Amino acid sequence: MKFSKLSLGISSILMGVVFTSSAVESTTDTNSDSIEQITIFGSTAAVSKLPGSGAYISKEMLDTYATTDIQRILSSTAGVYFVEEDGYGLRPNIGMRGSSSDRSEKITIMEDGVLAAPAPYASPAAYYFPTVGRMQAVEILKGGSSIEYGPRTSGGVINLVSTAVPQDALGGKFDLALGSDGFSKLHTFVGGRNETSGGLVEIYNYQADGFKNLNSGQDTGFNKTDLLTKFDIYLDDDKRHQLEFKLKYSDESSDETYVGLTQQDFNENPYQRYSATQLDDMSTEHKHASVHYDYIISENMDLSVIAYINDFGRNWYKVSKINGSSLGSGAEEIASNFDATVSMGGAPDDITVTLKANNRDYLSRGIQGQFALYLNNHQINIGARVHNDEMDRFQWVDQYALAADFSMSVLSAGVPGTNSNRIDSANAYSFFVKDKMTFGDFIVTAGVRYENVNLARDDWGKTDPLRSADPSERNNEVSAFLPSVGTTYQANDNWVLLAGVQKAFAPPSPGNNKADNEEGWNYEFGGRFSYDSVNGELIGFVTKLDNLHGNCTASQGCNIDLIGQQYNAGKVDISGVEFVINHRAEFDSFAVPTRFNYTYSSAEFGETFESELGLWGSVEAGFDIPYLPKVTWQLESGIAGDNWQVLAAIKYVDEMRVVAGNNNIDENNGIDARTVVDISANYQIDDQQSLYAVVDNLFDKEYAVTRQHGGLQVGKPRSLQVGYRYQF
């Protein structure tokens, strides 16, 4: 039996949930000899025996969505939630099973099995996220099966699978789309394979003018481009040794801001932006290189090793103060009054706008490997990773005057390195051992993961931009053993029962004064069922943390003088239920596929404490954790013919409180519940060509998504995308 490419994916331990172009159903994917292809079990029956919950979103479903927003894709799965921000998913906030969604910092994000966050140990807040539009699959894993993927095991894992090298001598894709608010997308790749090698070149660009309006007339959109190439070669005639090289470059410019609207202005026009934010811009550059070696030792042994490096630079030049008031402390009101006075024909005094250059460089690099052995009824996996990453903050502030004609002029230019000037770094090594054992109708998966992390902070303060003196230093070392065990039982032809327990862990950041780990236990239990054309799963989960981390980040609206600090919140209890059901009704000339997923989540603080984090504040035991909707659900259904389909998705997100508490949620402390409908249509012209159309927010629902940044931010309004796809 050949073991294929374990270190590059998590598919082989996932429940397969695939939406095809003409159906919504549970199935499995097919294997490929390409080194970067991720494989899963070859049958639904085998997948159903897995001792944890997960989902596999296929290329067909990604083509159906035709979206560039990972958050819209993830809404098709249970147990995953998110806080929208810019409307396009450029910097998603994703949480799983009660973990914080802020900048997806509490989950493990990978591309082709490699950690994708810019500095996943030293600074996990992911201001970079791989472009989902160029992916061929998305894998989601929760529960005890995620022992192979650290460092964070209290939430879950997302692995994004990049485009595979075509298996034919020549193959490729051309995908062009146009849409609302100046949206355009171009995705193309070409490649091929012969007996000894294969290669691929890929380009992905998407952009929009934005759906928010500035009185000063500037765009509020973005432009992002990815360039990727792969090359692989067999090193022997038996094709047992294979080497792959992967290179990627991307850049982005987005006119995004953290300045939200006052409640009154949001009620009048939620799509406006204050003139003070006209210069806000995020500029990024991301470079990746990796080398993957795969060795099929024998029919029952496989070795896979990856060396990688990620280099990410970004400067989010954005408003931090207006007339000396920080966001959330009067800045929005000042900006609002200025724009209102001008719009009514008045001539207000100039106001002073402080823009901070949040300039940071990130570097992560490492080597990881896995060895797999099949031995009778055992599948043994052994893996290790050596990793280093760092974040270099080198920031400054500039002062501008905003005049009555909406023009902005420089009052003073800051000196780089005089606002924040420090390096946070981490050196980590980890290993795991996992054994999947089969005993008749029982499958038991047990293992242990070990993490050791050395954290450091070198801080030159605000008066030494040349870094000529010795910095103040902070050093910590933490480690953890993380056991896990899960089991499934094939009760009968229709039911598979499962249960599992896993030690939860997240390392502290260099800004954590006490350097305490986030630790606890994850439990899950439930079952999967299948009756003719109906299948699904019902899983309950409980997480008990001994010490929850809270990170002070600009994205949470934290005090700007505390950004980078991490705080310990003590005990937290998280629990919930996930439910998924699929059905496909077949008729003479069409089918009606239906899928429904539902998640209930509850997360409460277990201790009373005082917090410097704005979204926590003064916390009492029993307070609900903010920005966690108790209920989310999505219903997808439609009509599918032989070469066409129309599918609709009705998505519900419950109300959320924006600060910790247990009082009633209202417009002062929360975000209202919302129901949004999306629709997609596809027409297959022939085997190679297709047309598609996608409408997000069909009924043009106006809804707020967050108050974290000092004011209300709005969700994307109704938008249309029409595209043409040619594949060969």
Side-chain angles (χ1 to χ4, degrees):
M1 179 178 183
K2 177 182 176 181
F3 176 74
S4 179
K5 293 69 184 176
L6 180 73
S7 68
L8 285 179
I10 59 180
S11 305
S12 59
I13 54 175
L14 285 180
M15 172 185 176
V17 180
V18 178
F19 292 97
T20 69
S21 61
S22 62
V24 181
E25 60 184 352
S26 179
T27 182
T28 57
D29 206 358
T30 57
N31 193 9
S32 166
D33 291 331
S34 176
I35 191 171
E36 75 278 37
Q37 275 289 78
I38 292 181
T39 61
I40 62 175
F41 289 110
S43 71
T44 303
V47 172
S48 68
K49 295 180 173 64
L50 301 176
S53 60
Y56 180 79
I57 302 175
S58 70
K59 175 182 179 297
E60 288 80 9
M61 189 56 189
L62 294 177
D63 285 346
T64 297
Y65 282 134
T67 182
T68 57
D69 188 347
I70 182 65
Q71 295 165 140
R72 282 170 164 73
I73 293 170
L74 295 178
S75 65
S76 66
T77 66
V80 183
Y81 57 92
F82 45 85
V83 176
E84 293 183 30
E85 186 175 316
D86 55 74
Y88 294 103
L90 298 174
R91 282 162 289 281
N93 302 286
I94 304 167
M96 295 185 188
R97 293 191 166 177
S99 62
S100 170
S101 61
D102 183 59
R103 285 290 174 261
S104 310
E105 64 184 2
K106 291 297 183 71
I107 62 176
T108 297
I109 301 169
M110 303 184 297
E111 179 177 334
D112 293 334
V114 173
L115 295 173
Y121 283 86
S123 182
Y127 285 81
Y128 164 80
F129 197 90
T131 301
V132 71
R134 62 175 173 81
M135 301 300 163
Q136 70 170 32
V138 177
E139 301 174 304
I140 304 153
L141 182 63
K142 298 157 286 182
S145 298
S146 61
I147 188 173
E148 292 162 277
Y149 310 99
R152 287 162 180 80
T153 62
S154 55
V157 178
I158 294 177
N159 185 49
L160 301 149
V161 186
S162 67
T163 302
V165 174
Q167 295 303 296
D168 297 326
L170 181 65
K173 175 181 179 179
F174 176 82
D175 189 339
L176 177 65
L178 300 174
S180 306
D181 301 310
F183 178 84
S184 67
K185 176 187 72 178
L186 172 63
H187 181 204
T188 183
F189 69 83
V190 63
R193 180 174 301 282
N194 57 30
E195 288 298 317
T196 60
S197 62
L200 167 78
V201 176
E202 183 174 26
I203 300 172
Y204 193 99
N205 171 266
Y206 64 120
Q207 59 186 324
D209 297 335
F211 56 85
K212 297 179 183 178
N213 303 306
L214 278 161
N215 287 327
S216 52
Q218 285 98 329
D219 289 342
T220 58
F222 70 96
N223 188 315
K224 185 177 182 181
T225 301
D226 281 25
L227 306 174
L228 182 143
T229 184
K230 296 179 181 180
F231 174 76
D232 65 71
I233 184 170
Y234 287 107
L235 303 179
D236 63 333
D237 294 337
D238 294 334
K239 297 185 178 181
R240 295 173 60 189
H241 300 267
Q242 193 177 20
L243 197 63
E244 181 201 57
F245 301 88
K246 176 183 174 183
L247 298 172
K248 187 191 77 70
Y249 172 86
S250 70
D251 62 34
E252 173 196 328
S253 177
S254 52
D255 304 313
E256 290 297 336
T257 184
Y258 276 160
V259 179
L261 300 176
T262 65
Q263 184 71 57
Q264 179 178 347
D265 287 344
F266 185 90
N267 293 340
E268 292 177 357
N269 177 11
Y271 303 112
Q272 62 181 306
R273 248 177 65 176
Y274 298 136
S275 302
T277 70
Q278 62 187 268
L279 299 181
D280 286 21
D281 175 77
M282 166 73 94
S283 298
T284 75
E285 185 178 61
H286 184 272
K287 290 170 280 188
H288 166 89
S290 61
V291 180
H292 173 215
Y293 171 66
D294 192 57
Y295 176 28
I296 308 300
I297 302 171
S298 68
E299 288 298 312
N300 63 345
M301 285 189 289
D302 184 271
L303 175 66
S304 190
V305 180
I306 308 175
Y308 59 88
I309 183 169
N310 287 296
D311 186 353
F312 177 64
R314 60 96 155 176
N315 184 5
W316 199 341
Y317 192 62
K318 63 180 186 293
V319 172
S320 63
K321 294 182 180 180
I322 300 178
N323 277 1
S325 295
S326 301
L327 302 187
S329 302
E332 295 80 14
E333 286 77 6
I334 295 170
S336 173
N337 290 334
F338 179 90
D339 281 12
T341 301
V342 174
S343 66
M344 292 186 293
D349 295 333
D350 292 358
I351 63 174
T352 300
V353 182
T354 301
L355 276 84
K356 180 187 293 185
N358 293 267
N359 181 61
R360 305 174 195 177
D361 289 316
Y362 300 80
L363 183 66
S364 69
R365 53 203 166 187
I367 184 169
Q368 64 188 40
Q370 281 197 44
F371 171 77
L373 172 65
Y374 289 88
L375 188 63
N376 296 324
N377 64 330
H378 294 266
Q379 178 184 325
I380 301 171
N381 298 326
I382 302 172
R385 177 197 291 145
V386 178
H387 177 92
N388 165 263
D389 63 46
E390 67 178 41
M391 175 191 66
D392 187 341
R393 295 167 60 103
F394 201 65
Q395 303 180 175
W396 65 94
V397 296
D398 298 330
Q399 302 283 346
Y400 288 81
L402 176 62
D405 62 356
F406 300 124
S407 65
M408 294 182 70
S409 57
V410 177
L411 295 176
S412 62
V415 177
T418 56
N419 176 261
S420 184
N421 184 5
R422 70 170 189 256
I423 296 176
D424 289 353
S425 61
N427 291 298
Y429 63 87
S430 59
F431 68 84
F432 73 86
V433 178
K434 188 186 78 170
D435 187 2
K436 180 179 178 181
M437 300 162 280
T438 303
F439 306 101
D441 291 330
F442 283 93
I443 297 177
V444 179
T445 303
V448 63
R449 182 179 186 87
Y450 175 74
E451 290 273 358
N452 180 275
V453 189
N454 285 276
L455 300 157
R457 170 173 289 181
D458 295 332
D459 195 339
W460 287 267
K462 299 182 178 181
T463 59
D464 187 13
L466 298 179
R467 298 180 174 176
S468 56
D470 292 334
S472 63
E473 297 181 352
R474 181 184 298 172
N475 295 278
N476 295 305
E477 181 178 4
V478 298
S479 61
F481 278 98
L482 309 171
S484 172
V485 61
T487 185
T488 64
Y489 171 62
Q490 185 77 45
N492 53 45
D493 291 340
N494 304 113
W495 278 92
V496 174
L497 305 180
L498 65 88
V501 58
Q502 177 191 36
K503 184 73 176 291
F505 169 75
S509 77
N512 190 318
N513 291 317
K514 293 184 179 180
D516 294 335
N517 293 335
E518 180 177 289
E519 292 190 12
W521 291 92
N522 296 329
Y523 307 89
E524 65 177 347
F525 44 87
R528 301 188 180 99
F529 57 89
S530 178
Y531 291 89
D532 297 325
S533 61
V534 178
N535 62 79
E537 67 178 22
L538 176 63
I539 296 177
F541 62 89
V542 174
T543 299
K544 291 186 172 293
L545 297 178
D546 295 326
N547 179 44
L548 176 71
H549 287 162
N551 294 309
C552 179
T553 62
S555 59
Q556 291 187 351
C558 182
N559 186 322
I560 60 175
D561 296 324
L562 300 175
I563 289 176
Q565 301 301 311
Q566 187 179 76
Y567 300 94
N568 302 307
K571 297 182 182 300
V572 170
D573 292 326
I574 302 168
S575 61
V577 175
E578 301 169 4
F579 175 64
V580 177
I581 187 168
N582 301 280
H583 176 256
R584 179 178 173 84
E586 296 281 358
F587 299 93
D588 291 339
S589 59
F590 65 92
V592 178
T594 303
R595 175 177 170 83
F596 177 75
N597 74 76
Y598 172 93
T599 304
Y600 171 83
S601 303
S602 175
E604 295 182 351
F605 291 100
E607 299 181 14
T608 299
F609 62 94
E610 292 293 324
S611 166
E612 294 178 290
L613 297 180
L615 74 168
W616 286 359
S618 297
V619 175
E620 297 181 11
F623 273 14
D624 291 334
I625 290 179
Y627 284 100
L628 175 65
K630 286 189 177 295
V631 174
T632 62
W633 56 260
Q634 177 164 302
L635 173 64
E636 301 167 75
S637 189
I639 303 176
D642 290 336
N643 63 343
W644 60 271
Q645 68 171 0
V646 178
L647 297 174
I650 305 172
K651 298 179 285 190
Y652 173 80
V653 179
D654 206 358
E655 62 182 4
M656 296 183 290
R657 62 178 68 254
V658 299
V659 293
N662 57 9
N663 56 328
N664 292 331
I665 299 176
D666 55 34
E667 71 173 21
N668 297 313
N669 66 1
I671 299 294
D672 290 340
R674 63 180 182 269
T675 302
V676 177
V677 179
D678 298 339
I679 191 168
S680 65
N682 180 283
Y683 176 72
Q684 197 74 30
I685 300 173
D686 54 34
D687 290 342
Q688 295 178 310
Q689 301 180 87
S690 62
L691 300 174
Y692 62 88
V694 178
V695 181
D696 290 333
N697 194 359
L698 177 65
F699 298 109
D700 205 19
K701 170 76 173 179
E702 293 183 356
Y703 62 96
V705 295
T706 179
R707 293 178 185 263
Q708 284 181 334
H709 315 137
L712 285 164
Q713 300 279 0
V714 68
K716 188 170 69 171
R718 179 172 52 231
S719 62
L720 170 66
Q721 176 190 169
V722 178
Y724 167 79
R725 186 180 295 124
Y726 175 75
Q727 301 182 80
F728 61 96

